């Protein structure tokens, strides 16, 4: 080989070596985000960095990052001098328990995680990929909001993200982790996703901050009081979960994913169990009090029915008069909706109706069978509920059950009265298999109220107090014998069977197997127009 050729090869190899070294150095710098000082500032607030969060969330070594070197193009207000590789958001795909997910994590150490055009483009890319590949998308939010320097381009970026939230709704699961600030227009993306997880004391969501609230209304309020995790988990219902730490929040996301499928064309993964499907529970035979007005804990019923007593509750701290969440029965993932007699006697109100309706629609969208446990005396009455729209909000739950085509199994434990009976997945809303315990009372209303309507004139004619009390007792017993049992409903075919409580787990598990291949269509339409 000639000397000149050897020199050319040396020069080429030298350039390649320099290029590799430069690449390694640039990657290293990009992974530091805003630099060591800003990382330290993040840690001093009790917060993890975006990359630390992704390391905890994804299987080790599975993360494939996209657009690491993407930068903004803004030159306004000196922004051309603060360009950073990645533009304040880390995006890509990886696996959780071996299942593919697409992720983005906003990096607060870079321009406060603010969203501009390039930042939004990165998020939109992985949202498109998630939908096209049929995999969940998880967003870890930690941002100061729209990047003011980019003006309308920032707003356009949010609009692009919102549109993808809408297109992906009901197609792939969308999960938002709020691990820092999320304010202004930025809150609408998490609001459009299926589940929100917030972290106590370090995350908050609101449209306008405390300073603006004070200037407009005169009200003095802190960030935590206005939009902290506790507020949104217990008062507004915006947050489905409130975690004590970021680590707990990330574990919550992982656990949630274990109950749901990758997309709307698949079934949820099954979970092997050693808990016998035919396990009986004598506790259930005794759990309903003799006094119909006495409360009991529905969690006790759920724990006896599900595999290994494991129940993953959604919205634990909001609208506690109804319980919703995921579990496995016979290894199959199910969504559970149950009235809670310990809270407001299990009555349905505005928030309970909204909470359950949203959950029912998620389960229906993602092929998760519904198990409904009923003990409901009716809807909450009063001007506050009527003025707040209990009619429309109650109709949301009715609509959700009526449109759902997944297997629907209903068990009536005790009270099931009036309109609330219809709303809670009755046979007329295409309930597939409806069971009742012997203690079930299925009627327009309870005996005490019913006899006052049926025999009101007769009662007024009785002047003697003792005779009146005796007559009322007789009429109530007559009403109880006729309506306050499950057998009249069963005689009309509205109940498939009256079952012994101890066998509830087995009967539900067997019904799930029977309905496994259920196919049920709906009339052709562009989309529905449910009450909102």
């Amino acid at each position: 080989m000639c000397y000149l050729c050897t020199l050319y090869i040396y020069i080429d190899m030298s350039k390649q070596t320099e290029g590799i070294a430069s690449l390694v150095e640039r990657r290293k710098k990009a992974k530091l985000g805003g630099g060591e000082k800003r990382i330290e500032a993040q840690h001093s607030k009790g917060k993890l960095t975006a990359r630390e969060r992704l390391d905890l969330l994804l299987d080790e070594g599975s993360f494939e990052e996209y657009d690491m070197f993407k930068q903004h193009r803004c030159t306004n207000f000196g922004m051309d001098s603060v360009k950073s590789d990645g533009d304040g958001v880390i995006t890509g795909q990886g696996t959780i328990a071996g299942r593919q997910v697409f992720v983005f994590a906003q990096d607060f150490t870079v321009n406060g995680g603010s969203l501009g055009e390039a930042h939004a483009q990165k998020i939109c890319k992985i949202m498109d990929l998630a939908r096209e590949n049929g995999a969940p998308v998880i967003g870890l939010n930690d941002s100061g909001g729209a990047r003011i320097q980019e003006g309308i381009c920032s707003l356009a970026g949010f609009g692009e993200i919102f549109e993808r939230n809408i297109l992906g709704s009901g197609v792939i699961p969308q999960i938002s982790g709020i691990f820092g600030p999320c304010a202004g227009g930025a809150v609408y993306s998490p609001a459009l996703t299926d589940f929100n997880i917030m972290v106590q004391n370090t995350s908050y969501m609101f449209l306008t901050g405390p300073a603006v609230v004070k200037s407009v209304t005169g009200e003095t309020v802190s960030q935590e009081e206005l939009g902290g995790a506790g507020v949104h988990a217990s008062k507004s219902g915006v947050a489905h979960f409130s975690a004590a730490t970021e680590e707990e929040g990330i574990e919550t996301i992982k656990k949630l994913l274990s109950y749901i499928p990758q997309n709307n064309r698949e079934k949820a993964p099954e979970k092997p169990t050693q808990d016998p499907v035919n396990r009986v529970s004598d506790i259930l035979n005794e759990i309903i009090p003799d006094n119909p007005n006495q409360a009991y804990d529905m969690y006790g019923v759920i724990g006896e029915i599900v595999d290994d007593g494991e129940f993953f509750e959604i919205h634990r701290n909001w609208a506690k008069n109804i319980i919703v969440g995921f579990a496995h029965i016979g290894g199959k993932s199910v969504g559970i909706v149950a009235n809670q007699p310990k809270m407001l006697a299990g009555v349905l109100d505005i928030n309970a109706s909204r909470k359950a309706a949203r959950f029912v629609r998620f389960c229906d969208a993602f092929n998760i069978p519904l198990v409904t446990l009923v003990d409901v005396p009716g809807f909450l009455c009063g001007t506050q509920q009527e003025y707040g729209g209990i009619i429309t909000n109650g109709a949301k739950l009715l609509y959700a059950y009526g449109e759902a085509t997944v297997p629907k199994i209903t068990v009536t434990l005790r009270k099931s009265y009036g309109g609330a009976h219809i709303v809670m997945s009755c046979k007329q809303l295409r309930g597939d298999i409806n069971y009742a315990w012997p203690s079930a009372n299925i009627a327009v209303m309870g005996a005490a109220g019913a006899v006052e309507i049926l025999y009101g004139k007769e009662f007024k004619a009785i002047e003697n107090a003792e005779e009146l009390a005796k007559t009322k007792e007789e009429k109530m017993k007559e009403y109880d014998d006729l309506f306050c049992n499950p057998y009249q409903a069963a005689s009309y075919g509205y109940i498939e069977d009256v079952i012994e409580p101890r066998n509830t787990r087995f009967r539900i598990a067997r019904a799930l197997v029977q309905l496994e291949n259920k196919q049920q269509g709906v009339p052709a339409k562009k989309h529905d127009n449910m009450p909102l």
Side-chain angles (χ1 to χ4, degrees), residues 17-67:
T17 302
E18 288 176 4
I20 292 171
S22 176
L23 171 63
V24 170
E25 187 62 28
R26 188 157 180 176
R27 282 185 178 276
K28 183 179 178 181
K29 184 179 179 181
K31 289 183 177 181
L32 282 175
E36 294 288 357
K37 287 186 178 180
R38 291 186 180 176
I39 290 173
E40 288 175 13
Q42 183 86 340
H43 289 163
S44 70
K45 298 173 186 175
K47 296 166 62 178
L48 300 174
T49 66
R51 291 191 182 276
E52 288 169 341
R53 291 164 183 158
L54 290 175
D55 286 343
L56 287 174
L57 178 67
L58 302 172
D59 296 339
E60 186 175 357
S62 71
F63 183 50
E64 180 76 14
E65 185 170 352
Y66 302 156
D67 295 327

Short mmCIF file of all heavy atoms in Angstrom, two decimals, residues 17-67:
data_model
loop_
_atom_site.label_atom_id
_atom_site.label_comp_id
_atom_site.label_asym_id
_atom_site.label_seq_id
_atom_site.Cartn_x
_atom_site.Cartn_y
_atom_site.Cartn_z
N THR A 17 -12.75 8.77 14.86
CA THR A 17 -12.51 8.71 16.30
C THR A 17 -12.93 10.00 16.97
O THR A 17 -13.55 10.00 18.04
CB THR A 17 -11.02 8.43 16.57
OG1 THR A 17 -10.65 7.21 15.94
CG2 THR A 17 -10.75 8.34 18.06
N GLU A 18 -12.56 11.12 16.33
CA GLU A 18 -12.95 12.41 16.88
C GLU A 18 -14.48 12.56 16.89
O GLU A 18 -15.05 13.10 17.84
CB GLU A 18 -12.34 13.53 16.04
CG GLU A 18 -10.84 13.68 16.22
CD GLU A 18 -10.26 14.74 15.30
OE1 GLU A 18 -11.06 15.41 14.60
OE2 GLU A 18 -9.03 14.91 15.29
N GLY A 19 -15.12 12.07 15.83
CA GLY A 19 -16.58 12.15 15.75
C GLY A 19 -17.26 11.36 16.84
O GLY A 19 -18.24 11.81 17.45
N ILE A 20 -16.74 10.16 17.09
CA ILE A 20 -17.31 9.32 18.15
C ILE A 20 -17.13 9.98 19.51
O ILE A 20 -18.05 10.03 20.33
CB ILE A 20 -16.67 7.92 18.13
CG1 ILE A 20 -17.09 7.17 16.86
CG2 ILE A 20 -17.07 7.12 19.37
CD1 ILE A 20 -16.35 5.87 16.64
N ALA A 21 -15.94 10.53 19.73
CA ALA A 21 -15.67 11.21 21.00
C ALA A 21 -16.59 12.40 21.19
O ALA A 21 -17.11 12.65 22.28
CB ALA A 21 -14.21 11.65 21.06
N SER A 22 -16.81 13.13 20.10
CA SER A 22 -17.69 14.29 20.15
C SER A 22 -19.13 13.87 20.44
O SER A 22 -19.85 14.51 21.22
CB SER A 22 -17.63 15.06 18.83
OG SER A 22 -18.55 16.12 18.82
N LEU A 23 -19.56 12.76 19.81
CA LEU A 23 -20.91 12.24 20.03
C LEU A 23 -21.10 11.83 21.49
O LEU A 23 -22.12 12.16 22.12
CB LEU A 23 -21.17 11.04 19.12
CG LEU A 23 -22.46 10.25 19.37
CD1 LEU A 23 -23.68 11.13 19.13
CD2 LEU A 23 -22.51 9.00 18.48
N VAL A 24 -20.12 11.11 22.04
CA VAL A 24 -20.21 10.67 23.44
C VAL A 24 -20.32 11.87 24.37
O VAL A 24 -21.12 11.88 25.31
CB VAL A 24 -18.97 9.80 23.79
CG1 VAL A 24 -18.93 9.54 25.29
CG2 VAL A 24 -19.01 8.50 23.02
N GLU A 25 -19.50 12.87 24.08
CA GLU A 25 -19.50 14.08 24.92
C GLU A 25 -20.84 14.81 24.82
O GLU A 25 -21.38 15.29 25.83
CB GLU A 25 -18.36 15.01 24.51
CG GLU A 25 -18.16 16.20 25.43
CD GLU A 25 -17.81 15.81 26.85
OE1 GLU A 25 -17.21 14.72 27.06
OE2 GLU A 25 -18.15 16.59 27.78
N ARG A 26 -21.38 14.88 23.61
CA ARG A 26 -22.65 15.61 23.44
C ARG A 26 -23.80 14.85 24.10
O ARG A 26 -24.69 15.47 24.68
CB ARG A 26 -22.93 15.81 21.95
CG ARG A 26 -24.12 16.73 21.71
CD ARG A 26 -24.09 17.38 20.37
NE ARG A 26 -25.26 18.24 20.18
CZ ARG A 26 -25.45 19.01 19.12
NH1 ARG A 26 -24.53 19.05 18.16
NH2 ARG A 26 -26.54 19.74 19.00
N ARG A 27 -23.78 13.53 23.98
CA ARG A 27 -24.80 12.73 24.66
C ARG A 27 -24.73 12.93 26.17
O ARG A 27 -25.74 13.06 26.86
CB ARG A 27 -24.64 11.25 24.33
CG ARG A 27 -25.16 10.85 22.96
CD ARG A 27 -25.06 9.34 22.78
NE ARG A 27 -25.61 8.92 21.51
CZ ARG A 27 -26.90 8.70 21.27
NH1 ARG A 27 -27.78 8.87 22.24
NH2 ARG A 27 -27.30 8.31 20.08
N LYS A 28 -23.51 12.94 26.68
CA LYS A 28 -23.31 13.12 28.11
C LYS A 28 -23.87 14.46 28.57
O LYS A 28 -24.55 14.55 29.60
CB LYS A 28 -21.82 13.02 28.44
CG LYS A 28 -21.50 13.12 29.92
CD LYS A 28 -20.00 12.98 30.15
CE LYS A 28 -19.67 13.13 31.64
NZ LYS A 28 -18.20 13.01 31.87
N LYS A 29 -23.60 15.49 27.78
CA LYS A 29 -24.08 16.82 28.13
C LYS A 29 -25.60 16.88 28.04
O LYS A 29 -26.27 17.48 28.91
CB LYS A 29 -23.46 17.86 27.19
CG LYS A 29 -23.83 19.29 27.53
CD LYS A 29 -23.16 20.29 26.58
CE LYS A 29 -23.58 21.72 26.94
NZ LYS A 29 -22.97 22.71 26.02
N ALA A 30 -26.18 16.26 27.00
CA ALA A 30 -27.63 16.27 26.84
C ALA A 30 -28.32 15.58 28.01
O ALA A 30 -29.39 16.02 28.47
CB ALA A 30 -28.01 15.58 25.53
N LYS A 31 -27.70 14.51 28.51
CA LYS A 31 -28.30 13.77 29.62
C LYS A 31 -28.25 14.54 30.93
O LYS A 31 -28.98 14.22 31.87
CB LYS A 31 -27.62 12.41 29.76
CG LYS A 31 -27.97 11.44 28.63
CD LYS A 31 -27.35 10.08 28.85
CE LYS A 31 -27.77 9.11 27.74
NZ LYS A 31 -27.20 7.76 27.93
N LEU A 32 -27.39 15.56 31.00
CA LEU A 32 -27.34 16.39 32.20
C LEU A 32 -28.41 17.47 32.19
O LEU A 32 -28.58 18.18 33.19
CB LEU A 32 -25.95 17.05 32.33
CG LEU A 32 -24.82 16.16 32.84
CD1 LEU A 32 -23.51 16.91 32.79
CD2 LEU A 32 -25.11 15.67 34.26
N GLY A 33 -29.14 17.60 31.08
CA GLY A 33 -30.22 18.57 31.02
C GLY A 33 -29.72 19.98 31.25
O GLY A 33 -28.86 20.49 30.54
N GLY A 34 -30.22 20.63 32.30
CA GLY A 34 -29.82 22.00 32.60
C GLY A 34 -28.53 22.13 33.37
O GLY A 34 -28.14 23.23 33.74
N GLY A 35 -27.87 21.00 33.65
CA GLY A 35 -26.59 21.05 34.35
C GLY A 35 -26.70 20.64 35.82
O GLY A 35 -27.78 20.51 36.38
N GLU A 36 -25.53 20.43 36.42
CA GLU A 36 -25.46 19.91 37.79
C GLU A 36 -26.17 20.81 38.80
O GLU A 36 -26.85 20.32 39.71
CB GLU A 36 -23.99 19.73 38.21
CG GLU A 36 -23.24 18.67 37.42
CD GLU A 36 -23.68 17.25 37.78
OE1 GLU A 36 -24.53 17.10 38.69
OE2 GLU A 36 -23.18 16.30 37.15
N LYS A 37 -26.00 22.13 38.68
CA LYS A 37 -26.61 23.03 39.66
C LYS A 37 -28.13 22.95 39.64
O LYS A 37 -28.78 22.94 40.69
CB LYS A 37 -26.16 24.47 39.40
CG LYS A 37 -24.71 24.75 39.80
CD LYS A 37 -24.37 26.23 39.65
CE LYS A 37 -22.95 26.50 40.11
NZ LYS A 37 -22.59 27.95 39.97
N ARG A 38 -28.69 22.88 38.46
CA ARG A 38 -30.15 22.79 38.36
C ARG A 38 -30.66 21.42 38.80
O ARG A 38 -31.76 21.30 39.32
CB ARG A 38 -30.60 23.12 36.95
CG ARG A 38 -30.39 24.60 36.61
CD ARG A 38 -30.97 24.99 35.28
NE ARG A 38 -30.75 26.39 35.00
CZ ARG A 38 -31.09 26.99 33.86
NH1 ARG A 38 -31.68 26.28 32.89
NH2 ARG A 38 -30.85 28.29 33.68
N ILE A 39 -29.87 20.40 38.57
CA ILE A 39 -30.22 19.07 39.06
C ILE A 39 -30.24 19.07 40.58
O ILE A 39 -31.15 18.52 41.23
CB ILE A 39 -29.25 18.00 38.52
CG1 ILE A 39 -29.47 17.81 37.01
CG2 ILE A 39 -29.43 16.67 39.25
CD1 ILE A 39 -28.46 16.91 36.34
N GLU A 40 -29.24 19.71 41.17
CA GLU A 40 -29.20 19.82 42.63
C GLU A 40 -30.41 20.60 43.16
O GLU A 40 -30.99 20.25 44.20
CB GLU A 40 -27.90 20.52 43.07
CG GLU A 40 -26.65 19.66 42.91
CD GLU A 40 -25.37 20.43 43.24
OE1 GLU A 40 -25.49 21.53 43.82
OE2 GLU A 40 -24.29 19.93 42.91
N ALA A 41 -30.78 21.66 42.45
CA ALA A 41 -31.96 22.44 42.84
C ALA A 41 -33.22 21.59 42.78
O ALA A 41 -34.11 21.69 43.64
CB ALA A 41 -32.10 23.66 41.93
N GLN A 42 -33.30 20.74 41.76
CA GLN A 42 -34.45 19.83 41.63
C GLN A 42 -34.50 18.88 42.81
O GLN A 42 -35.56 18.67 43.43
CB GLN A 42 -34.33 19.05 40.31
CG GLN A 42 -35.49 18.12 39.99
CD GLN A 42 -36.64 18.81 39.29
OE1 GLN A 42 -36.78 20.02 39.33
NE2 GLN A 42 -37.49 18.02 38.66
N HIS A 43 -33.36 18.32 43.16
CA HIS A 43 -33.30 17.38 44.29
C HIS A 43 -33.62 18.08 45.61
O HIS A 43 -34.23 17.48 46.51
CB HIS A 43 -31.92 16.74 44.36
CG HIS A 43 -31.66 15.75 43.27
ND1 HIS A 43 -30.39 15.31 42.93
CD2 HIS A 43 -32.50 15.09 42.42
CE1 HIS A 43 -30.48 14.44 41.95
NE2 HIS A 43 -31.74 14.29 41.62
N SER A 44 -33.20 19.34 45.74
CA SER A 44 -33.44 20.07 46.99
C SER A 44 -34.93 20.30 47.25
O SER A 44 -35.35 20.52 48.39
CB SER A 44 -32.71 21.41 46.96
OG SER A 44 -33.31 22.30 46.03
N LYS A 45 -35.73 20.24 46.18
CA LYS A 45 -37.19 20.37 46.31
C LYS A 45 -37.88 19.04 46.59
O LYS A 45 -39.10 18.97 46.65
CB LYS A 45 -37.77 20.98 45.03
CG LYS A 45 -37.26 22.38 44.71
CD LYS A 45 -37.77 22.81 43.35
CE LYS A 45 -37.17 24.14 42.91
NZ LYS A 45 -37.57 24.50 41.52
N GLY A 46 -37.07 17.99 46.72
CA GLY A 46 -37.63 16.65 46.93
C GLY A 46 -38.13 16.01 45.66
O GLY A 46 -38.96 15.10 45.70
N LYS A 47 -37.61 16.47 44.51
CA LYS A 47 -38.05 15.98 43.22
C LYS A 47 -36.93 15.24 42.50
O LYS A 47 -35.76 15.61 42.63
CB LYS A 47 -38.55 17.14 42.35
CG LYS A 47 -39.76 17.86 42.89
CD LYS A 47 -40.00 19.19 42.21
CE LYS A 47 -40.26 19.04 40.74
NZ LYS A 47 -40.53 20.35 40.10
N LEU A 48 -37.30 14.24 41.72
CA LEU A 48 -36.35 13.53 40.88
C LEU A 48 -36.21 14.26 39.55
O LEU A 48 -37.05 15.09 39.18
CB LEU A 48 -36.82 12.10 40.63
CG LEU A 48 -37.01 11.20 41.86
CD1 LEU A 48 -37.63 9.87 41.45
CD2 LEU A 48 -35.69 10.98 42.57
N THR A 49 -35.16 13.95 38.82
CA THR A 49 -35.03 14.50 37.47
C THR A 49 -35.84 13.65 36.50
O THR A 49 -36.26 12.54 36.81
CB THR A 49 -33.56 14.52 37.02
OG1 THR A 49 -33.10 13.16 36.87
CG2 THR A 49 -32.69 15.26 38.01
N ALA A 50 -36.03 14.18 35.30
CA ALA A 50 -36.81 13.46 34.28
C ALA A 50 -36.20 12.09 33.98
O ALA A 50 -36.90 11.08 33.86
CB ALA A 50 -36.89 14.31 33.01
N ARG A 51 -34.86 12.03 33.87
CA ARG A 51 -34.21 10.76 33.55
C ARG A 51 -34.29 9.78 34.73
O ARG A 51 -34.41 8.57 34.52
CB ARG A 51 -32.76 10.99 33.13
CG ARG A 51 -32.67 11.70 31.78
CD ARG A 51 -31.27 11.73 31.19
NE ARG A 51 -31.30 12.47 29.93
CZ ARG A 51 -31.64 11.94 28.75
NH1 ARG A 51 -31.94 10.65 28.68
NH2 ARG A 51 -31.65 12.67 27.65
N GLU A 52 -34.18 10.29 35.93
CA GLU A 52 -34.31 9.42 37.10
C GLU A 52 -35.71 8.80 37.15
O GLU A 52 -35.87 7.62 37.50
CB GLU A 52 -34.03 10.21 38.37
CG GLU A 52 -32.55 10.56 38.55
CD GLU A 52 -32.30 11.57 39.65
OE1 GLU A 52 -33.26 12.28 40.06
OE2 GLU A 52 -31.15 11.67 40.11
N ARG A 53 -36.71 9.59 36.79
CA ARG A 53 -38.08 9.06 36.77
C ARG A 53 -38.23 7.95 35.73
O ARG A 53 -38.86 6.91 35.99
CB ARG A 53 -39.07 10.20 36.48
CG ARG A 53 -39.19 11.19 37.62
CD ARG A 53 -39.85 12.49 37.18
NE ARG A 53 -39.90 13.46 38.27
CZ ARG A 53 -40.01 14.77 38.11
NH1 ARG A 53 -40.09 15.28 36.89
NH2 ARG A 53 -40.06 15.58 39.15
N LEU A 54 -37.68 8.17 34.55
CA LEU A 54 -37.77 7.15 33.50
C LEU A 54 -37.01 5.88 33.88
O LEU A 54 -37.43 4.77 33.55
CB LEU A 54 -37.25 7.72 32.17
CG LEU A 54 -38.12 8.79 31.52
CD1 LEU A 54 -37.44 9.35 30.28
CD2 LEU A 54 -39.50 8.23 31.17
N ASP A 55 -35.88 6.04 34.56
CA ASP A 55 -35.12 4.87 35.02
C ASP A 55 -35.95 4.01 35.97
O ASP A 55 -35.88 2.78 35.94
CB ASP A 55 -33.83 5.30 35.71
CG ASP A 55 -32.77 5.81 34.73
OD1 ASP A 55 -32.90 5.53 33.53
OD2 ASP A 55 -31.82 6.50 35.18
N LEU A 56 -36.73 4.67 36.84
CA LEU A 56 -37.58 3.94 37.78
C LEU A 56 -38.79 3.31 37.08
O LEU A 56 -39.24 2.24 37.46
CB LEU A 56 -38.08 4.88 38.88
CG LEU A 56 -37.07 5.33 39.94
CD1 LEU A 56 -37.70 6.38 40.85
CD2 LEU A 56 -36.60 4.14 40.77
N LEU A 57 -39.29 4.00 36.05
CA LEU A 57 -40.52 3.55 35.39
C LEU A 57 -40.29 2.37 34.46
O LEU A 57 -41.08 1.41 34.45
CB LEU A 57 -41.12 4.72 34.61
CG LEU A 57 -42.39 4.44 33.80
CD1 LEU A 57 -43.56 4.14 34.73
CD2 LEU A 57 -42.72 5.64 32.90
N LEU A 58 -39.22 2.40 33.69
CA LEU A 58 -39.03 1.43 32.61
C LEU A 58 -38.12 0.28 33.02
O LEU A 58 -37.29 0.41 33.91
CB LEU A 58 -38.43 2.14 31.39
CG LEU A 58 -39.25 3.31 30.83
CD1 LEU A 58 -38.46 4.04 29.77
CD2 LEU A 58 -40.58 2.81 30.26
N ASP A 59 -38.31 -0.85 32.35
CA ASP A 59 -37.41 -1.99 32.55
C ASP A 59 -35.98 -1.57 32.25
O ASP A 59 -35.73 -0.81 31.30
CB ASP A 59 -37.81 -3.14 31.63
CG ASP A 59 -39.19 -3.70 31.93
OD1 ASP A 59 -39.68 -3.50 33.06
OD2 ASP A 59 -39.78 -4.33 31.04
N GLU A 60 -35.06 -2.08 33.02
CA GLU A 60 -33.66 -1.71 32.88
C GLU A 60 -33.14 -1.99 31.46
O GLU A 60 -33.32 -3.08 30.92
CB GLU A 60 -32.79 -2.46 33.90
CG GLU A 60 -31.34 -2.01 33.91
CD GLU A 60 -30.54 -2.67 35.01
OE1 GLU A 60 -31.13 -3.44 35.80
OE2 GLU A 60 -29.31 -2.44 35.07
N GLY A 61 -32.53 -0.98 30.86
CA GLY A 61 -31.93 -1.15 29.53
C GLY A 61 -32.91 -1.14 28.38
O GLY A 61 -32.50 -1.34 27.23
N SER A 62 -34.20 -0.88 28.65
CA SER A 62 -35.20 -0.97 27.57
C SER A 62 -35.48 0.36 26.88
O SER A 62 -36.12 0.40 25.83
CB SER A 62 -36.51 -1.52 28.12
OG SER A 62 -37.16 -0.58 28.97
N PHE A 63 -35.00 1.46 27.44
CA PHE A 63 -35.38 2.77 26.90
C PHE A 63 -34.65 3.10 25.61
O PHE A 63 -33.43 3.04 25.52
CB PHE A 63 -35.11 3.86 27.94
CG PHE A 63 -35.54 5.24 27.52
CD1 PHE A 63 -36.81 5.46 27.03
CD2 PHE A 63 -34.66 6.32 27.61
CE1 PHE A 63 -37.22 6.74 26.65
CE2 PHE A 63 -35.06 7.59 27.22
CZ PHE A 63 -36.34 7.81 26.74
N GLU A 64 -35.43 3.44 24.61
CA GLU A 64 -34.91 3.91 23.32
C GLU A 64 -35.34 5.36 23.16
O GLU A 64 -36.51 5.66 22.98
CB GLU A 64 -35.49 3.07 22.18
CG GLU A 64 -35.04 3.45 20.80
CD GLU A 64 -33.63 2.99 20.47
OE1 GLU A 64 -33.08 2.14 21.20
OE2 GLU A 64 -33.07 3.50 19.48
N GLU A 65 -34.36 6.27 23.24
CA GLU A 65 -34.70 7.69 23.22
C GLU A 65 -34.80 8.21 21.80
O GLU A 65 -34.02 7.83 20.92
CB GLU A 65 -33.64 8.49 24.00
CG GLU A 65 -33.99 9.97 24.14
CD GLU A 65 -33.09 10.70 25.11
OE1 GLU A 65 -32.29 10.04 25.81
OE2 GLU A 65 -33.19 11.94 25.18
N TYR A 66 -35.76 9.13 21.58
CA TYR A 66 -35.93 9.78 20.29
C TYR A 66 -35.62 11.28 20.41
O TYR A 66 -35.88 11.90 21.43
CB TYR A 66 -37.37 9.64 19.78
CG TYR A 66 -37.88 8.24 19.61
CD1 TYR A 66 -39.24 7.96 19.64
CD2 TYR A 66 -37.00 7.17 19.40
CE1 TYR A 66 -39.72 6.65 19.48
CE2 TYR A 66 -37.48 5.87 19.23
CZ TYR A 66 -38.82 5.62 19.28
OH TYR A 66 -39.29 4.35 19.13
N ASP A 67 -35.07 11.84 19.35
CA ASP A 67 -34.89 13.30 19.23
C ASP A 67 -34.09 13.90 20.38
O ASP A 67 -34.41 14.98 20.87
CB ASP A 67 -36.26 14.00 19.14
CG ASP A 67 -37.01 13.64 17.87
OD1 ASP A 67 -36.35 13.41 16.85
OD2 ASP A 67 -38.25 13.56 17.91
#
